Amino acid sequence: MTRPPEERSTELRTLFFESASELLQALNEAGLELESHPADEEIIRRVRRAVHTLKGDSAACGFYKLSELAHELEDVLTPQLAQSGGPKLAEVVLEAADTFEAMLSAYQRDAELPSVDPLRGVIKSLLAVPSATEEKPATAEIAARFEWTEYEQLMIAEAMHRGELVYNIALRIDPNSVMRAAAFQLIRNVLHGCGTVIALRPEDNSAAATVEIVEAALASAQLQDRIAQRCRIPSIVSDLRIERAAALETPEHELLGEILEAQAADVTSKANGDSASDATKAPAAGSAAAAVAESTLRVDATRIDAIMNLVGELIIGKSMLNRTLTEFDQRHARDPVRGKLSDALAFQSRVLDELHKCVLKIRMVPVEQLFRRFPRVVRDVAKQVGRDVAIDLSGQNTDLDKGILDALAEPLMHLVRNAVDHGIEDADERIAAGKPARGTLYLNAYHQGTQVVVEVRDDGRGIDLAQIRAQAVSKGIVKAEEAQRLSDSETLNLIFEPGFSTAVTVTEVSGRGVGMDVVRTVMDRLKGTVHVSSNKGRGTTIQLRAPLTLASIQTLLFRVGGRLFAVPISSVVEITRIVDSEIHQVDRREVLRLRDHVLTLVRLNSLSQIHAVDTPAEGKKKRNFVIVIGAAEKRFGLIVDSLVGEEELVIKALPTEIVSSDLVSGASILGDGTVVLILNVPAVLARLSRATPLGAIA
């Protein structure tokens, strides 16, 4: 059945917006490179290719305003204007990226398009700058694009691989020529006489009647001077540009060339009766091509989430089978069917575990996708506050869940902007402190156990703890006597309180006291933590720790007050048993001396909004289980009634009307239908960090 035109148009536009975001990122990166190398022709060619693609794709989707603006931008993307305009060209590219992004956003929301007059004004001003071409002969005036198709580029690569010389040639037809079609045909004949014409623009005589410049890719054994001499046709060609064609840039193109070569060798070997060992090279190349194709496959994230949910249901089903097999063992221990059931279940478990890992890997993406946007952010903020700041990226290949990657974008944006505005000093202050004038911001990501750590570090002035305490007291966040008792780590954590800011004035960058609060809120939602360390005069480091995936976790099950709870096994430091006489009271808190450390104890049924469902038996228990929980550098002990064991749980988010306590991050279902509440460790730690959090615990 043929799909209706409306459905095809919607699908086309969806694909366009996906590819357009990648093109805008490429424009941002190329614009930053142009600031350092304003006359680099290769960078300009990359920008021109991205703009040209955006122009064509937007026109195909009916976004003609965007297509027209991209066409105007192409006029300034020439090496000649780069040499005369200097850094202005980089400014135009970056401003164009912002304008294109605003237009795309308006198209997606069916909103009114933003004004493009500022960008048009900058383009006109750059075109008005006298260029170096006015003083140079004709060859430098031809702004040829040499934008060949994928197939033509592949043919160029094959010619180079065979050892042939490949030239890009641009010829301007004399404006005084009356019969332009005849002139084009003569040029075409001369090119064919010089070698093999791989590509030609225009391709026929009818299109040549309105074309000023003829472009060609020519493979030839002749030298460049000889070809130039033959192409300078009197009264036909007024200007000529000839240059050696560059090798293909992408590894995919090189791989395709190797595939075609291997396939050709395979056909030849079969025709000549060569050995089978030579003929086996093509499938290997073909499988490599399949790998490249799979690496570029686009899949809607909702489809992957649907598969992940189904895998989660299968994991619950596996738990049900395990419990059923346990009951079968108890009742029919000697039944021969028991062994067959056990083997079948073991096989099913292995396959399910592999399926689970494969789906998780599909959801995993490199953190490079997130880091790529920050060089532009650092450049803009540094320019806005008048500082010189470089950015150093590492760990871009670290993988994490796509959902977590997207959620980390906002807190990282706040941290990066704050580091440039608050952390790194002005050049004079840095020089006076014996530092280089240019500050450096470091972004790093790495795996640590079952977590991913994203680190933002700067070499700035660091955080003044006395200023933090004074600001917290003045804003009423803590009392003066409490501020003096706070440790250094507790003082640093005050920067995450709502409304807290050390900025003297409110600017477009910071000062409203909302950024760091957003960081903690997002990390709590991700069941992660944020840790701050700072050395005054040397810099600040902020670590965001988040789980690798939100889909499933390995947990430790326990019971408290008749309810079944779970805690991530990665947060469990150790398990111990104590008697009631070992529990002491300090400052209205229950504590335990565990070896050389004093551990705060927590009873879940004494915290707000978590209540027992059964009444404990009369009399005190002689011994209690204590699960020691750790996150970052903090530790606390969880008093539980009994331990159940370890189990892999699929996390299910709970609506707030069902569970209103922030101490529970989600739930799961066991094989027998029992609901398990998953403890939110960061929320418990936050409750313990308050001044008098556990007053209800007796």
Side-chain angles (χ1 to χ4, degrees), residues 411-472:
L412 269 181
M413 184 71 70
H414 288 295
L415 294 178
V416 168
R417 291 168 66 89
N418 275 355
V420 177
D421 187 29
H422 291 311
I424 296 179
E425 317 93 324
D426 294 331
D428 295 340
E429 185 179 345
R430 291 181 62 86
I431 293 173
K435 299 180 181 179
R438 166 175 284 192
T440 305
L441 178 70
Y442 302 89
L443 270 181
N444 185 24
Y446 55 90
H447 290 152
Q448 192 172 80
T450 59
Q451 292 183 316
V452 62
V453 181
V454 180
E455 191 174 88
V456 182
R457 178 168 60 91
D458 64 71
D459 62 350
R461 61 171 62 92
I463 298 177
D464 189 340
L465 297 180
Q467 182 186 6
I468 296 292
R469 293 188 180 98
Q471 195 77 0

Side-chain angles (χ1 to χ4, degrees), residues 126-362:
L126 194 58
L127 287 172
V129 176
S131 64
T133 59
E134 298 176 358
E135 304 174 0
K136 292 185 179 180
T139 54
E141 295 179 0
I142 302 181
R145 293 192 176 96
F146 301 130
E147 293 172 345
W148 312 127
T149 65
E150 294 286 337
Y151 175 77
E152 290 167 341
Q153 292 180 32
L154 184 56
M155 295 303 101
I156 291 172
E158 285 189 324
M160 290 181 175
H161 191 70
R162 291 193 300 266
E164 297 182 22
L165 299 176
V166 181
Y167 301 98
N168 285 329
I169 304 174
L171 309 96
R172 189 191 304 275
I173 299 178
D174 195 325
N176 299 321
S177 177
V178 180
M179 302 178 65
R180 301 179 70 85
F184 170 75
Q185 185 59 44
L186 184 57
I187 292 172
R188 187 174 183 173
N189 294 339
V190 170
L191 290 172
H192 280 289
C194 293
T196 303
V197 178
I198 298 175
L200 185 65
R201 300 286 187 280
E203 298 179 351
D204 52 36
N205 291 3
S206 60
T210 58
V211 171
E212 179 186 0
I213 298 175
V214 178
E215 300 179 23
L218 179 72
S220 175
Q222 298 184 25
L223 297 178
Q224 182 172 330
D225 293 342
R226 174 59 179 165
I227 296 175
Q229 183 181 0
R230 296 188 61 179
C231 288
R232 288 193 177 94
I233 309 171
S235 303
I236 299 296
V237 176
S238 60
D239 298 325
L240 174 67
R241 172 182 168 187
I242 181 170
E243 60 187 35
R244 290 280 295 275
L248 290 175
E249 302 168 358
T250 61
E252 290 85 353
H253 291 157
E254 296 176 3
L255 178 58
L256 287 173
E258 293 174 3
I259 294 169
L260 288 181
E261 183 179 351
Q263 289 175 343
D266 185 26
V267 172
T268 304
S269 63
K270 287 180 179 178
N272 297 333
D274 288 348
S275 63
S277 60
D278 295 332
T280 56
K281 295 179 181 178
S287 61
V292 171
E294 288 209 4
S295 69
T296 58
L297 181 65
R298 293 183 183 274
V299 179
D300 193 339
T302 55
R303 297 184 180 182
I304 300 176
D305 291 339
I307 296 175
M308 194 69 227
N309 288 333
L310 292 175
V311 172
E313 297 301 324
L314 287 175
I315 292 176
I316 295 174
K318 181 182 75 171
S319 177
M320 295 173 62
L321 289 175
N322 278 323
R323 290 176 180 272
T324 303
L325 184 61
T326 302
E327 294 179 9
F328 188 86
D329 277 345
Q330 294 173 353
R331 298 181 183 181
H332 310 284
R334 298 182 180 181
D335 196 312
V337 180
R338 175 199 167 280
K340 296 180 180 180
L341 287 175
S342 180
D343 292 341
L345 182 58
F347 174 76
Q348 187 257 4
S349 298
R350 281 199 308 272
V351 175
L352 182 56
D353 289 343
E354 289 300 318
L355 176 62
H356 188 207
K357 291 177 183 177
C358 289
V359 176
L360 287 180
K361 287 180 180 178
I362 293 175

Side-chain angles (χ1 to χ4, degrees), residues 565-640:
F565 290 90
V567 67
I569 200 72
S570 58
S571 301
V572 177
V573 179
E574 63 176 298
I575 301 173
T576 185
R577 294 193 70 176
I578 61 172
V579 295
D580 290 336
S581 60
E582 296 179 87
I583 300 176
H584 306 284
Q585 293 279 345
V586 176
D587 196 14
R588 292 188 296 170
R589 299 189 187 195
E590 287 186 318
V591 298
L592 165 70
R593 184 174 182 84
L594 185 63
R595 292 184 290 277
D596 296 331
H597 301 282
V598 176
L599 201 66
T600 300
L601 297 179
V602 176
R603 298 181 188 268
L604 286 182
N605 54 1
S606 299
L607 296 177
S608 63
Q609 299 176 342
I610 294 184
H611 307 290
V613 295
D614 59 2
T615 305
E618 293 296 328
K620 289 187 176 181
K621 294 171 59 179
K622 292 184 177 180
R623 299 184 69 84
N624 299 284
F625 286 101
V626 175
I627 304 174
V628 180
I629 307 293
E633 292 86 12
K634 296 182 179 179
R635 300 283 187 273
F636 68 90
L638 202 61
I639 300 178
V640 303

